[in-house]
Amino acid sequence: MSGGVDREEARRRIEALRREIAEHDYRYFVLDDPLIPDSEYDRLLAELRALEARFPEFVVPDSPTQRVGGAVREGFRSVRHDPPMLSLNNVFSEEEARAFFARIARELSEQESALEWSVEPKIDGLAIALHYEQGQLVLAATRGDGEIGEDVTHTVRTIRSVPLRLRERARPWPRRLEVRGEVYMRRRDFERLNARLSELGERSFANPRNAAAGSVRQLDPKVAASRPLRFFAYAVAGCEGCSPPSRQSAALAWLAELGFAVTAEARLVRGGEQALAVYRELLARREKLDYEIDGAVYKLDRLDAQERLGYLARAPRFAVAHKFPAREAVTIVEAIEVQVGRTGAITPVARLRPVPLAGVTITNASLHNFDQVARLDVRVGDSVIVRRAGDVIPEIVGVIKERRPAGTEAWQPPTRCPACGSAIERVRGEVIARCTGGLYCPAQRKEAIRHFASRRAMDIEGLGEKMIEALVDGGLVATVADLYRLRLEDLVRLKYGDEGAPGGKPATRWAEKLLQAIAKSKETTLDRFLFALGIREVGEATAKALARHFGSLEALIAAAEADFATLGQEPCCPKLSAVPDIGPVVAEHIARFFHEPHNREVIEALQAAGVRWPEGKAGNEAGPLAGQSVVLTGTLSRMSREEAKRALEALGAKVSDSVSRKTSFLVLGRDPGSKLEKARSLGVPILEEQAFLELLARHGRG
Ligand code: IVH
């Protein structure tokens, strides 16, 4: 007894759930305005699934649970298209588009400016015909050659924006209806899919169109169901038992009422100039749309006028596609080289047979990193698809493997920097490979010198970017060690832009000042020196920790060399990792840096030139001011704050930012801040500049 009631209740609930789910699909895909969160949608679907499992007699093919069915075993059946699925003729310029508008006006004997156009984005996907009988999806077919396509109902059914049944509210349904449109993939869905595929070690797709086509033409609907496919309807191709609208713009609105997603970008305009304005707007917004479009389609809005104009062999006369400038082209890889960036990053670059693309000739394309080359398996001699999106550097997005000549070999990444011959390192977990010859490599020269001279490193005043440019480009300086070999006459001879010496001072004046600043930088501390070397990921704090831990450069180099031998082992780098806050990655950078002979030569040259620091733990625990904590306030007239700090540190003092009871003394400059008050209130000794300079002089730092 109660079983009957249960059954009837279940039937009603099942139908209510189906209607509700269909309505949510409609809101989500057609109106782009979902009412409920995805989790709630999933819950409704789960409830429906559970009920259908208990009452299988109520399962119908157009239930939302029935999107994924059995696999097709014998391949795709052929489907004849009636009317044929035509393609569109293309125009590539506004002139050609205007000629098209003028011709149509002439043929219809109408004013060009009075003609109405439905202007729609040309979606870059795969054309599909959907057949409905009594409101149910019964067949989906690819375009094929236009006359005969393939039956892909089993995969197209899995696309949630393809209604399995027309909307309830659109009843009475046409007896038969054929809708045509485009299956596509949204850009970010495509990127996520590719990431997933490459994680699984599967081949990724070159672009969303290939991904859409490859997913629809699957024998197994489960694969298609796992791909984020979508569908936009753009035409009513046939209709029995209904009176379809008489305009294309109205047909799009009607398709939306029936439950199909249509693009939100379609515009109804009057006259060719307005149509061109829509084209330009679409072109400008191209990158912002979340799906790929490759042009605008101009369709005569009135369907009776469309009929009067009729068809050519393979394309209608009443519509045309105005293509955007191509962003992709096919060319041949002539060589694969690597470039070294200013920080040592090694980037593989393909040298290409020149090919015109979006208004420029492309001869190079970035391959980003070694993994990317391996993923794409790009080889010299390959035909490749290059893409230029917006103003971005062209990149290779795919290889046409079918065109690969015989005898090619997989590309081997170099192990030596092409600019300096130093070893290339690839730290575990990092995508970017780098040249380890940071101090020596010509590609990294300017950056290395800039960092070396910077305030917190060797603090060489007057050695700014412009000066470094001039020194390096003038051939005077190749490595940081060369700075200490500069001679006055070399500098004076150096051309310094068009304006002459900076500030119009006599050339010798700035040259003398620069040489003084360089000479002064020779007296430094170990931690500053280590920081100045520009070892990857060795900042000031790490440099200090290294100096404190090892006490001397020799001890650090010995540890680095010992650890170099352990690279590749787990765990590696025991000696460097013993330093507080140094992890395996930083340790690896340090080990590789000191192992590179080029870097060692530069370090030796620096020491030979007189760069030195007090030896001992903490760089200077043996210094005369060891254990003292000093605070600086105000402006000193004879030296900069950095210089004062360096001099104090060289003598073993710690320079701190704030005054406390532990402060040994305060150095007082002009216009002191609140630190002076604080020092007075705590009774901290105060040293005026003159006394401070005398203190330094007593210890040989004057
Ligand atoms: S109408 C008879 N509208 O472009 C004209 N086509 O070369 C039928 N396409 O294979 C096409 N977006 O797949 C039309 N808004 C749009 C379109 C569009 C993309 C594709 C379609 C067709 C190709 C024409």
Side-chain angles (χ1 to χ4, degrees):
M1 255 310 270
S2 70
V5 176
D6 265 6
R7 232 177 136 257
E8 185 49 29
E9 252 173 36
R11 192 185 61 77
R12 263 189 260 123
R13 180 66 186 146
I14 284 175
E15 275 178 7
L17 279 167
R18 283 182 191 150
R19 270 198 303 277
E20 202 181 336
I21 290 169
E23 198 57 27
H24 289 310
D25 279 340
Y26 177 76
R27 294 208 57 123
Y28 189 93
F29 290 106
V30 181
L31 305 183
D32 203 6
D33 180 23
L35 262 187
I36 54 167
D38 290 359
S39 55
E40 177 61 11
Y41 178 92
D42 294 342
R43 199 197 58 72
L44 293 173
L45 205 59
E47 186 187 344
L48 178 60
R49 262 205 199 95
L51 278 173
E52 286 183 349
R54 270 181 63 202
F55 300 95
E57 62 271 36
F58 296 140
V59 177
V60 290
D62 63 2
S63 168
T65 60
Q66 301 302 302
R67 288 198 176 268
V68 185
V72 176
R73 240 173 283 134
E74 257 105 67
F76 308 110
R77 277 194 317 117
S78 298
V79 174
R80 176 171 288 280
H81 295 298
D82 177 26
M85 287 181 84
L86 300 178
S87 61
L88 291 165
N89 281 334
N90 294 323
V91 296
F92 295 96
S93 66
E94 299 205 350
E95 286 61 48
E96 286 179 75
R98 286 196 182 93
F100 167 78
F101 298 132
R103 200 187 71 228
I104 299 292
R106 219 172 30 249
E107 289 180 14
L108 291 172
S109 311
E110 294 205 34
Q111 283 285 324
E112 194 275 312
S113 58
L115 287 180
E116 286 181 292
W117 297 96
S118 176
V119 187
E120 303 166 19
K122 187 164 186 295
I123 298 136
D124 206 4
L126 165 79
I128 291 283
L130 302 176
H131 295 253
Y132 288 81
E133 286 177 11
Q134 311 295 356
Q136 322 286 322
L137 175 71
V138 291
L139 175 67
T142 62
R143 176 164 171 260
D145 63 4
E147 298 280 342
I148 308 240
E150 290 169 331
D151 180 346
V152 285
T153 317
H154 61 295
T155 54
V156 171
R157 285 177 61 84
T158 68
I159 304 173
R160 272 181 54 203
S161 46
V162 169
L164 294 177
R165 167 218 282 255
L166 300 179
R167 273 186 93 217
E168 268 330 294
R169 303 223 181 137
R171 279 181 193 267
W173 293 327
R175 219 171 23 256
R176 284 165 176 277
L177 172 72
E178 182 180 345
V179 173
R180 291 183 181 169
E182 201 83 354
V183 171
Y184 68 99
M185 210 177 268
R186 295 202 300 184
R187 246 194 280 261
R188 63 188 127 114
D189 290 337
F190 161 75
E191 264 144 34
R192 243 180 271 145
L193 169 67
N194 260 358
R196 201 178 77 208
L197 288 176
S198 57
E199 242 168 56
L200 295 172
E202 288 176 37
R203 250 178 85 174
S204 50
F205 292 102
N207 52 49
R209 174 167 31 90
N210 290 4
S215 305
V216 166
R217 298 189 69 258
Q218 288 281 339
L219 296 178
D220 184 355
K222 286 202 200 74
V223 178
S226 74
R227 304 278 169 84
L229 296 168
R230 290 186 173 233
F231 177 78
F232 271 139
Y234 55 63
V236 178
C239 187
E240 279 176 30
C242 69
S243 43
S246 58
R247 287 174 174 266
Q248 167 66 10
S249 50
L252 290 178
W254 186 55
L255 284 167
E257 276 170 38
L258 289 173
F260 295 93
V262 293
T263 167
E265 308 300 325
R267 300 282 179 273
L268 175 62
V269 300
R270 193 183 291 271
E273 285 312 311
Q274 279 189 23
L276 286 173
V278 177
Y279 166 87
R280 285 181 217 122
E281 198 199 330
L282 280 172
L283 178 58
R285 291 185 38 236
R286 177 185 203 183
E287 307 291 343
K288 295 206 181 76
L289 294 184
D290 54 13
Y291 46 91
E292 300 247 347
I293 63 175
D294 59 350
V297 186
Y298 306 126
K299 300 177 186 173
L300 206 49
D301 196 46
R302 271 179 24 215
L303 302 186
D304 61 340
Q306 287 194 359
E307 284 310 311
R308 265 165 58 210
L309 283 167
Y311 299 84
L312 295 163
R314 298 187 56 82
R317 294 160 64 97
F318 54 79
V320 78
H322 187 172
K323 297 291 283 273
F324 292 151
R327 287 188 309 183
E328 286 185 2
V330 174
T331 187
I332 289 172
V333 176
E334 294 185 329
I336 300 175
E337 293 170 6
V338 297
Q339 281 177 351
V340 197
R342 51 199 277 277
T343 61
I346 306 271
T347 315
V349 178
R351 306 279 173 226
L352 304 172
R353 182 166 300 169
V355 61
L357 183 56
V360 296
T361 301
I362 307 291
T363 52
N364 301 307
S366 173
L367 283 159
H368 302 298
N369 54 60
F370 293 173
D371 285 351
Q372 174 79 351
V373 185
R375 200 156 42 228
L376 295 169
D377 186 20
V378 181
R379 303 179 182 192
V380 175
D382 268 342
S383 290
V384 291
I385 301 164
V386 280
R387 156 178 292 236
R388 189 165 164 263
D391 296 332
V392 190
I393 326 162
E395 56 174 358
I396 289 184
V397 293
V399 174
I400 307 177
K401 297 255 164 83
E402 294 72 19
R403 292 205 206 155
R404 174 171 284 168
T408 62
E409 278 168 29
W411 184 68
Q412 293 302 326
T415 54
R416 299 262 147 206
C417 170
C420 73
S422 298
I424 289 176
E425 75 166 343
R426 177 102 189 261
V427 170
R428 283 164 304 162
E430 287 193 4
V431 187
I432 303 291
R434 293 180 191 276
C435 163
T436 51
L439 279 185
Y440 169 83
C441 181
Q444 300 176 67
R445 223 164 249 176
K446 290 177 185 170
E447 181 61 22
I449 299 170
R450 191 199 58 72
H451 175 75
F452 184 82
S454 65
R455 207 166 49 83
R456 292 170 175 280
M458 301 299 275
D459 190 22
I460 305 177
E461 218 186 308
L463 195 51
E465 257 168 63
K466 265 196 162 175
M467 180 64 80
I468 295 170
E469 288 271 318
L471 290 173
V472 173
D473 296 345
L476 290 184
V477 173
T479 75
V480 291
D482 297 334
L483 292 171
Y484 297 95
R485 300 194 195 109
L486 282 172
R487 293 173 315 172
L488 191 65
E489 56 268 38
D490 294 334
L491 286 177
V492 172
R493 228 180 294 128
L494 191 70
K495 264 183 76 122
Y496 196 90
D498 292 335
E499 308 120 66
K505 295 175 198 146
T508 47
R509 184 78 184 90
W510 66 263
E512 276 165 8
K513 278 191 76 174
L514 179 62
L515 288 180
Q516 273 167 16
I518 292 172
K520 212 155 70 175
S521 74
K522 285 184 191 172
E523 303 284 339
T524 186
T525 56
L526 178 56
D527 60 293
R528 271 181 183 269
F529 181 75
L530 292 177
F531 174 60
L533 295 179
I535 307 166
R536 279 205 76 67
E537 294 192 33
V538 175
E540 271 182 293
T542 308
K544 278 205 167 73
L546 286 168
R548 205 173 303 125
H549 187 86
F550 292 105
S552 75
L553 182 63
E554 292 66 35
L556 168 60
I557 291 178
E561 280 294 16
D563 278 0
F564 184 84
T566 70
L567 290 184
Q569 296 171 14
E570 284 294 339
C572 79
C573 307
K575 291 191 191 295
L576 290 165
S577 300
V579 181
D581 291 338
I582 290 190
V585 170
V586 181
E588 187 166 341
H589 284 306
I590 297 169
R592 290 190 191 273
F593 180 89
F594 286 111
H595 183 72
E596 177 51 52
H598 292 130
N599 293 336
R600 296 272 287 277
E601 279 162 26
V602 175
I603 293 172
E604 277 157 29
L606 283 168
Q607 288 181 294
V611 174
R612 62 196 178 113
W613 49 87
E615 289 287 333
K617 292 253 169 183
N620 43 17
E621 260 172 24
L625 300 184
Q628 305 224 23
S629 171
V630 182
V631 176
L632 299 162
T633 184
T635 314
L636 298 171
S637 60
R638 304 278 297 277
M639 59 173 64
S640 71
R641 179 180 283 256
E642 274 305 317
E643 284 165 349
K645 186 172 170 209
R646 207 168 48 193
L648 283 163
E649 284 173 346
L651 296 175
K654 204 170 130 273
V655 178
S656 156
D657 279 337
S658 57
V659 177
S660 76
R661 252 172 245 292
K662 294 204 190 108
T663 305
S664 313
F665 59 89
L666 178 82
V667 177
L668 179 63
R670 244 183 311 110
D671 303 323
S674 60
K675 290 176 195 167
L676 177 60
E677 290 305 310
K678 182 104 186 263
R680 282 197 177 126
S681 71
L682 293 172
V684 168
I686 293 164
L687 237 61
E688 294 198 358
E689 180 166 355
Q690 191 52 39
F692 173 59
L693 291 175
E694 282 164 16
L695 172 83
L696 294 183
R698 271 204 303 285
H699 296 295
R701 282 272 168 178

